[in-house]
Amino acid sequence: MPILEPTGIGRVRKFLENKEQSIGIIVHTNPDGDAIGSALGLLNYLQGLQHTNVQVIAPNHYASFLHWMPGNEQVLVAEDHREKASEFIASANLLFCLDFNELSRAEQLGADMEKSSAKKIMIDHHPDPGPGFDLVFSDTGASSTAEMLYEFITALSGEKVLNLHMAECLYAGMITDTGSLSYNCNNPRTYEIIACLMRQGVDGARIHRLIYNTYSADRMRLLGYCLSEKLRVIHEAHTAYISLSSEDLARFHHREGDTEGVVNYALAIENIRLAALFTEKEDHVKVSFRSTGDTDVNRLARQYYHGGGHKNAAGGKSFESLKKTLEGFETLIKSQAVSHGQ
Ligand code: 5GP
Ligand code: MN
C-alpha cells in the first residue's frame, strides 16, 4: 500500500516511543461504525503496547448498536464532558484523527485540535484531505478507515500483535462501511484482511446480530413509517428521498442511530441512482446522500449542503426549514445539477 510508505511508518514509530505521553484518538461528529471501530481498534493496540495515557474522544453520542465494542466504556463523549475533552486535546502530545480529513468534521474538537501543539496524524479514506495535519495516511481506495488501521497496525508491529478485541473492532468498521461487503467491496485485499481478522476468532454472525438485529420496536416502526408514508420517488430524475420532521421523530421516540441505514432502502429501488434522507434537527436539517455508479454525491453535498463524504455516500446540512430544503432539493435534481454519467 503506497500510503504506508516506510518514512511515514518510521515517523509514527518514533512518535510512539514514549509510553507515558498523552495520546488522543479523535473521531468525527456523529461517529459511525467505521469511526468507532477504528478508534477502539487503535486504543486496544496502543494499550497492548503499554501506552498508559490514551483517550478516545467522540464529539457527540452515537448509536447504541456500537456500544458492544471492546473499549467502548473508555470513550469520552465531548458533548457531555466539554472541558475535559478540550483540556485533554490542549495538553496531548499526539492526536490520531480517524475517519475524517478536515478538522472541522470534529466540530468544536476541530477548533481544539487546531490550537493544540500535539502532532496530528490523520488516517482516513475520504477524498481531498484538508490542511492542519503533521502526517497524512490517506487512501481513497480503502473500503474503510478500519481497513487502513489493519495495514497501519501490522506495518508497525506485524500480524502477531493482533488480538480478538482489536480484530472485532476493525471487523465492525469494515463491515459497516461496506454495507456488510455489499459496496466498496471489489478489492481482494479487503477479503484478505477479513480473513486475518477471522483467524483471531471473530464471530461474524454474532457481530452482524449485534449491529443489525438489535432494533427497538420503535425503531422498526419508524423504518416502516419511512417506507410506507415518507418515501417520495421521482423517476424522471432517478431519485428517491425520505424526509423526517421533528414530530415524526418524536412520535417514534427517536434515539441516536435510529435512522442509520434508512437511506439505503431508497437506493434499493430499481433505476434509482440517487437517494436522500432529510432529518430535521434543532437548528438545521441533516442531509444524507447515497448513490450508485457515476452519480457523485460528494460534489452535491460540498456544493449545496456544506458537507462532503465519498462519491457514493455523503452528507451535509441545510440551514433552511425542512419544507424549503425539500423544495430546493427537488428543484436542484430536476435542473440536471446532478449528473448521473452513463
Ligand atoms: P451519513 O449519511 O451516514 O451521515 O454519512 C455518509 C458519509 O458522508 C460519511 O462518509 C460521512 O463521513 C460523510 N458526511 C456526513 N455528514 C457530513 C458532513 O456534514 N460533512 C462532511 N464533510 N462529510 C459528511
Ligand atoms: Mn469510513
Side-chain angles (χ1 to χ4, degrees), residues 289 296-309 314-316:
F289 291 121
D296 186 347
V297 288
N298 174 31
R299 221 190 91 221
L300 181 67
R302 274 175 191 263
Q303 217 166 339
Y304 299 101
Y305 297 96
H306 315 276

Side-chain angles (χ1 to χ4, degrees), residues 28 32 34-35 38 99-100 124-126 143-146 173 177 310:
H28 57 77
D32 56 7
D34 189 28
S38 298
D99 203 35
F100 65 99
D124 178 68
H125 66 137
H126 292 87
S143 70
S144 50
T145 299
D177 250 30
H310 307 277

